[in-house]
Amino acid sequence: GKANAILLPMLQQSMERVVALDLTQSQLSLKALMQPLVSCLKDTNTANRCWMSPGPRAHQILGLMPSDRTPQELITIAQQLQRDYGIVVAVRCGGFRISPYLNTTPDYVSQLIHGLQGVGIMS
């Protein structure tokens, strides 16, 4: 194949960014960023409707498991979150996968919490 004059420079810059990351600092930043969501999930009213597995975790992927929701209800809720709140979550294995990244801001996390409250997942 031929080298792609557009993709190769983009790939090189992307790889340079990945190599330059301090993974420990990135995890600490994501942990602090997602702490408001984790705190809301520990609220007893929310814990009865939705849970997150306990223990150590990588904070770039969080799984929320709403209680008593069918797979079709989860898909409908995910569509509502995207339509009404601009939030994209993936439906995986009976729950929502939330994948913040280094460009996620505290405002995005607040919007996520507000959206989850709006669709009845959290208090």
Side-chain angles (χ1 to χ4, degrees):
K2 291 169 82 175
N4 186 311
I6 294 173
L7 291 181
L8 284 179
M10 290 170 49
L11 177 61
Q12 180 179 353
Q13 186 176 23
S14 297
M15 295 309 297
E16 288 170 358
R17 284 185 164 190
V18 168
V19 170
L21 285 175
D22 178 339
L23 297 181
T24 301
Q25 184 56 45
S26 297
Q27 275 295 312
L28 291 173
S29 295
L30 287 169
K31 180 179 181 178
L33 181 72
M34 298 310 292
Q35 191 56 48
L37 175 63
V38 172
S39 294
C40 285
L41 288 168
K42 290 180 180 178
D43 174 79
T44 52
N45 292 330
T46 297
N48 292 332
R49 291 194 305 266
C50 183
W51 60 275
M52 182 173 53
S53 61
R57 65 182 39 86
H59 294 277
Q60 74 271 17
I61 298 177
L62 299 173
L64 303 183
M65 307 297 286
S67 302
D68 302 327
R69 301 291 179 130
T70 67
Q72 185 56 47
E73 288 174 317
L74 294 176
I75 291 169
T76 301
I77 290 169
Q79 291 168 341
Q80 183 181 358
L81 283 169
Q82 186 168 9
R83 182 187 65 239
D84 297 346
Y85 300 94
I87 298 167
V88 177
V89 297
V91 176
R92 298 284 189 275
C93 300
F96 297 118
R97 184 183 70 195
I98 298 172
S99 304
Y101 195 63
L102 299 175
N103 61 347
T104 303
T105 66
D107 287 341
Y108 290 154
V109 177
S110 295
Q111 185 176 353
L112 171 62
I113 292 169
H114 178 70
L116 291 170
Q117 291 168 338
V119 297
I121 298 296
M122 293 175 44
S123 298

